[in-house]
């Protein structure tokens, strides 16, 4: 064999060995990373008051007067194209109606009273003063009281939970437990402080909320979330299984190379993966991926240049409303983009939607909320590979037809190894806001199974 052939053979062997090693690493479970308890806040540790303090929303008249001035002086909107409803984003004819309602009928003082209906507090965790709602059952009547951490996402807020909280904290006939709900605003969202230094992504938020619950006196607790809330609780289940009694997610999904390969091969016989009534939620793959691209343009912007777009949204209340409310159309039901009214009042009210927008406006938090995308998708956080580490705590997946992604139970088991409950409902992304009764019923059903799971574990 010639010298040149030996060199070529050696190069090919080296390339093949590297390729085999890379393939092997794809299926290798990474170690659980150590997370440093970073001090995220603006104050020195020695100056920080870590006591729990009651909190009341109290916005000055000047802020509301400034809002009214901006709504009144907003520049005329660009008319929509002929025959277009919400396909290009929020139709400005619809936006005009929403803004007119906001300006003439929406009463902030009444809404402020409404938003203060639940006990609220702030407490410092890792230097950030976190805002949270804390509701205990009034009369558990001898039932077991289970702590439940409830986490929202973007572009939502704790406002999404105002209907579901009473459902979770009210005893149910025939059920031997009831929930004590802790619903915080995510860091940089609403009334929770934002980090002053880079790095606070969803993984770091998982540590933050674990520490919050321990500070509140809950060494073990249940967790529930959708959107960012779901991602954060998935990380909590991965990183802190000793603290987590059970995980209930209404955006339970996997997006690994292995799962995508399986999705491709199952496309030739999809009923081997899911029952016939669910096939349309996964296939055809190209159509599903095209819709995902259509609905996630915002994500690329917020993961790369959140501060730039934040300037515009933080300065214009009508721009902020358009940017946020548009998501409640297509993420609730993509078919609603064909409707003149966007279908908004089928599941929501203008008042409730504007409550959510107002939480972003009065706190100047739209920019800091969007930074969560940039931090979570940073190279530093991706290298931790937390998504590749299995979740062993009992898990429930409540799947909604019109959510952005749908993962069959077979695929979910790659990540979530103890799925005790999986369910499917005909609704959209904002489950707690859109269908609080359905979601609360599912949480009770799931936790009942999780409690049995623990009982069986202890008896074995």
């Amino acid at each position: 064999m010639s010298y040149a052939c030996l060199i070529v053979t050696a190069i090919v062997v080296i390339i093949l060995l590297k390729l085999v090693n890379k393939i092997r690493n794809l299926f290798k479970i990474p170690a659980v990373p150590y997370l440093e308890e970073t001090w995220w806040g603006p104050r020195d540790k020695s100056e920080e008051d870590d006591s729990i303090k009651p909190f009341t929303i109290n916005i000055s008249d000047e802020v509301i007067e400034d809002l009214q001035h901006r709504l009144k002086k907003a520049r005329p909107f660009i008319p929509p194209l002929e025959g277009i409803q919400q396909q290009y984003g929020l139709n400005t004819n619809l936006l005009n109606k929403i803004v007119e309602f906001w300006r003439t009928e929406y009463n902030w003082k009444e809404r402020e009273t409404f938003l203060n209906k639940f006990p609220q507090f702030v407490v410092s965790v890792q230097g950030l003063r976190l805002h949270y709602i804390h509701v205990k059952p009034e009369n558990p009547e001898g039932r077991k009281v289970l702590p439940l951490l409830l986490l929202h996402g973007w572009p939502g807020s704790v406002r999404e939970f105002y209907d579901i909280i009473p459902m979770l904290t009210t005893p149910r006939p025939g059920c031997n437990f009831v929930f004590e709900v802790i619903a915080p605003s995510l860091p940089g969202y609403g009334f929770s402080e934002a980090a002053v230094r880079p790095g606070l992504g969803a993984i770091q938020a998982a540590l933050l909320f674990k520490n919050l619950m321990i500070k509140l006196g809950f060494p073990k607790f249940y967790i529930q979330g959708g959107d960012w809330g779901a991602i954060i609780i998935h990380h909590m289940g991965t990183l802190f299984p000793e603290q987590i009694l059970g995980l209930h997610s209404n955006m339970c999904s996997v997006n690994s190379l292995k799962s995508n390969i399986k999705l491709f091969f199952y496309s030739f016989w999809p009923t081997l993966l899911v029952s016939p009534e669910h096939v349309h939620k996964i296939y055809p793959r190209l159509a599903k991926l095209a819709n995902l691209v259509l609905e996630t343009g915002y994500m690329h912007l917020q993961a790369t240049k959140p501060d730039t777009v934040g300037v515009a949204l933080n300065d214009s209340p009508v721009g902020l409303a358009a940017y946020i409310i548009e998501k409640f159309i297509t993420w609730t039901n993509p078919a609603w983009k064909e409707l003149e009214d966007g279908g908004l009042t089928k599941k929501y009210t203008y008042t409730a939607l504007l409550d959510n927008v107002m939480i972003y406006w009065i706190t100047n938090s739209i920019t800091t909320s969007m930074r969560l995308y940039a931090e979570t998708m940073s190279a530093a956080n991706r290298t931790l590979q937390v998504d590749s580490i299995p979740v062993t705590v009992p898990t429930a997946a409540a799947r909604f037809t019109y959510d952005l992604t749908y993962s069959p139970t077979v695929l979910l088991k790659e990540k979530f190894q103890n799925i005790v409950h999986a369910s499917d409902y005909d609704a959209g992304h904002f489950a707690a806001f859109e269908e609080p009764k359905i979601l609360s019923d599912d949480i009770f059903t799931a936790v009942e199974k999780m409690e049995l799971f623990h009982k069986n574990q202890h008896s074995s």
Side-chain angles (χ1 to χ4, degrees):
M1 184 181 290
S2 69
Y3 182 68
C5 287
L6 286 172
I7 292 175
V8 171
T9 302
I11 291 171
V12 170
V13 169
I14 291 169
I15 291 172
L16 286 173
L17 287 172
K18 285 186 175 182
L19 183 60
V20 167
N21 190 49
K22 282 188 175 183
I23 292 172
R24 186 180 295 145
N25 286 337
L26 286 173
F27 298 98
K28 182 181 178 182
I29 298 174
V32 175
Y34 168 76
L35 295 182
E36 182 181 347
E37 294 204 359
T38 303
W39 190 260
W40 299 110
R43 295 162 297 278
D44 188 84
K45 287 185 182 182
S46 62
E47 301 171 355
E48 190 69 356
D49 180 355
D50 63 357
S51 63
I52 297 171
K53 290 182 167 56
F55 178 83
T56 301
I57 302 169
N58 184 18
I59 306 303
S60 69
D61 291 339
E62 288 77 15
V63 170
I64 304 307
E65 288 166 4
D66 173 71
L67 169 64
Q68 282 290 341
H69 175 76
R70 291 169 187 258
L71 293 176
K72 187 176 180 180
K73 296 296 183 181
R75 296 174 68 183
F77 300 142
I78 304 301
L81 295 169
E82 292 179 2
I84 291 298
Q85 292 81 39
Q86 320 300 324
Q87 296 90 337
Y88 281 60
L90 191 65
N91 188 301
T92 49
N93 291 334
L94 175 57
L95 181 59
N96 261 317
K97 293 178 182 177
I98 295 170
V99 171
E100 181 64 16
F101 177 89
W102 198 0
R103 193 175 65 82
T104 62
E105 297 185 50
Y106 184 86
N107 185 319
W108 170 249
K109 287 302 176 186
E110 289 180 0
R111 302 315 299 164
E112 188 175 62
T113 300
F114 171 82
L115 292 171
N116 281 321
K117 68 187 288 187
F118 297 125
Q120 297 174 58
F121 304 87
V122 290
V123 66
S124 177
V125 181
Q126 293 175 238
L128 291 183
R129 292 176 184 170
L130 297 181
H131 161 262
Y132 63 98
I133 294 169
H134 191 168
V135 181
K136 301 177 182 181
E138 288 187 9
N139 185 10
E141 300 170 351
R143 290 173 172 83
K144 190 176 181 181
V145 177
L146 303 175
L148 175 65
L149 178 69
L150 208 56
L151 295 181
H152 68 83
W154 187 94
S157 65
V158 291
R159 174 61 182 89
E160 296 177 70
F161 301 137
Y162 271 62
D163 289 336
I164 199 172
I165 286 174
M167 298 177 184
L168 294 170
T169 56
T170 300
R172 296 189 170 200
C175 185
N176 67 354
F177 63 86
V178 67
F179 295 106
E180 179 174 346
V181 171
I182 299 90
S185 298
L186 300 187
Y189 285 66
F191 305 103
S192 283
E193 277 189 322
V196 298
R197 49 193 57 88
L200 205 171
I203 293 170
Q204 293 73 28
L207 175 61
L208 201 69
F209 287 124
K210 185 266 289 186
N211 288 340
L212 168 67
M213 292 298 282
I214 289 174
K215 178 166 276 193
L216 297 184
F218 303 110
K220 292 180 181 292
F221 50 93
Y222 285 94
I223 51 180
Q224 200 287 326
D227 195 83
W228 276 122
I231 293 169
I232 293 168
I233 66 168
H234 298 168
H235 293 332
M236 293 179 77
T238 303
L239 300 169
F240 315 116
E242 300 84 5
Q243 278 76 43
I244 307 306
L245 293 169
L247 180 163
H248 184 286
S249 174
N250 59 279
M251 197 182 77
C252 209
S253 63
V254 290
N255 188 31
S256 64
L257 175 62
K258 186 177 177 181
S259 66
N260 280 294
I261 290 172
K262 285 183 177 180
L263 282 172
F264 170 75
F265 283 109
Y266 276 119
S267 67
F268 297 102
W269 200 340
T271 52
L272 291 178
L273 183 63
V274 290
S275 56
E277 67 268 24
H278 298 309
V279 169
H280 71 284
K281 300 173 185 177
I282 311 169
Y283 299 108
R285 290 308 297 159
L286 284 179
K288 296 302 175 184
L289 292 171
N291 184 66
L292 198 60
V293 170
L294 178 67
E295 292 300 331
T296 55
Y298 78 96
M299 187 183 294
H300 182 76
L301 184 62
Q302 293 174 195
T304 54
K305 310 291 182 183
D307 286 23
T308 303
V309 68
V311 172
L313 298 176
N314 199 50
D315 193 59
S316 169
V318 296
L320 180 67
Y323 196 69
I324 289 177
I325 292 175
E326 179 252 317
K327 302 303 180 205
F328 288 87
I329 297 175
T330 52
W331 290 6
T332 303
N333 189 329
W336 288 1
K337 65 177 176 283
E338 313 288 341
L339 303 177
E340 295 291 340
D341 64 356
L344 287 173
T345 54
K346 291 178 183 289
K347 294 291 182 75
Y348 315 107
T349 64
Y350 285 175
T351 297
L353 291 168
L354 288 170
D355 284 348
N356 182 59
V357 173
M358 284 293 287
I359 289 174
Y360 283 91
W361 180 258
I362 60 179
T363 59
N364 298 318
S365 60
I366 187 62
T367 301
T368 52
S369 74
M370 295 188 296
R371 286 178 183 164
L372 184 56
Y373 289 82
E375 302 294 6
T376 299
M377 299 178 193
S378 68
N381 267 323
R382 292 199 309 272
T383 57
L384 296 176
Q385 299 183 66
V386 174
D387 285 335
S388 301
I389 304 171
V391 172
T392 57
V393 302
T395 298
R399 296 169 295 206
F400 291 83
T401 300
Y402 304 117
D403 211 341
L404 298 178
T405 60
Y406 182 93
S407 291
T409 306
V410 172
L411 300 187
L412 288 177
K413 286 180 178 178
E414 290 179 17
K415 168 74 176 175
F416 306 96
Q417 297 187 342
N418 283 305
I419 296 177
V420 299
H421 177 72
S423 52
D424 294 279
Y425 302 103
D426 189 27
H429 181 73
F430 303 97
F433 206 19
E434 179 190 348
E435 296 287 357
K437 179 66 165 61
I438 289 175
L439 187 63
S440 63
D441 288 349
D442 198 82
I443 294 170
F444 270 99
T445 300
V447 171
E448 186 175 14
K449 294 178 181 179
M450 293 173 188
E451 287 284 288
L452 182 61
F453 176 92
H454 291 299
K455 184 178 179 181
N456 293 336
Q457 290 285 98
H458 292 148
S459 62
S460 62

